[in-house]
Amino acid sequence: MIMRQIIGSLSITAALLASSACATTAQQQAVTAGSAEEQAAVLAVVAQLFDAMRSRDTASLAAVFDPSARFYGVGRNGEVTVTMPASFVQSIASAPEGVVLDEVLHDTEVRVDGPLATVWTYYDFFAGGEFSHCGYDAMQLLKTDGAWKIVALADTRRREGCRSS
């Protein structure tokens, strides 16, 4: 009799855990995925950023950032730098003539929840066709007035352990 009660209790507990896991998984999928349309819109902003860097289109480059955006870079020595969008745009514009700045993305993840999006991606960076460094980009975007804008961009930079080195 006691054994039946224990087995019955375990069965109920297992059923509750399974239904809870299913609910949690469905909830996580809704948060991590977002709609296909919103993911595409977020990725379009990211593509515009890197296309504008390659072509040195400073107007298009500046347009992807919220005016309050910040860039956080972790350099090879571990030093953290903070840059404003205007300074970043200026640095791209003042790169040596004819040197194409090409950031190649791999394994990009997009997560969207309402007006908030996160992009996480590995990258290899090339300057003038020469490998420079690699790392990860982490971007935060907010949708305001119907448009996605980058509000924060953090990246790491290294030469070791890169796919292209």
Side-chain angles (χ1 to χ4, degrees):
M1 181 73 158
I2 293 176
M3 192 60 138
R4 280 189 200 166
Q5 289 175 334
I6 292 172
I7 292 171
S9 293
L10 288 175
S11 296
I12 291 170
T13 301
L16 289 173
L17 287 173
S19 69
S20 173
C22 290
T24 301
T25 300
Q27 184 179 20
Q28 287 173 342
Q29 287 173 348
V31 172
T32 59
S35 73
E37 295 84 19
E38 290 299 347
Q39 283 187 346
V42 167
L43 287 172
V45 172
V46 173
Q48 181 179 337
L49 164 66
F50 296 115
D51 288 345
M53 280 177 54
R54 276 186 291 279
S55 65
R56 295 185 193 203
D57 181 346
T58 56
S60 183
L61 186 59
V64 301
F65 298 106
D66 184 85
S68 67
R70 299 288 183 273
F71 294 49
Y72 303 90
V74 181
R76 296 174 188 139
N77 61 1
E79 180 183 339
V80 176
T81 58
V82 181
T83 307
M84 302 294 292
S87 296
F88 175 72
V89 171
Q90 180 58 39
S91 72
I92 298 301
S94 64
E97 186 73 26
V99 174
V100 175
L101 306 174
D102 188 16
E103 191 155 326
V104 180
L105 307 182
H106 306 275
D107 305 325
T108 303
E109 297 177 28
V110 178
R111 296 179 180 216
V112 179
D113 185 28
L116 171 67
T118 297
V119 176
W120 174 266
T121 187
Y122 172 84
Y123 72 89
D124 289 309
F125 187 82
F126 299 85
E130 296 290 321
F131 175 75
S132 173
H133 61 276
C134 71
Y136 280 87
D137 288 330
M139 297 177 227
Q140 297 291 311
L141 295 87
L142 291 176
K143 189 173 188 180
T144 57
D145 298 324
W148 288 102
K149 298 287 183 178
I150 298 170
V151 295
L153 191 157
D155 69 358
T156 58
R157 300 173 199 139
R158 65 178 186 276
R159 294 189 63 89
E160 301 80 30
C162 299
R163 294 179 184 185
S164 293
S165 58

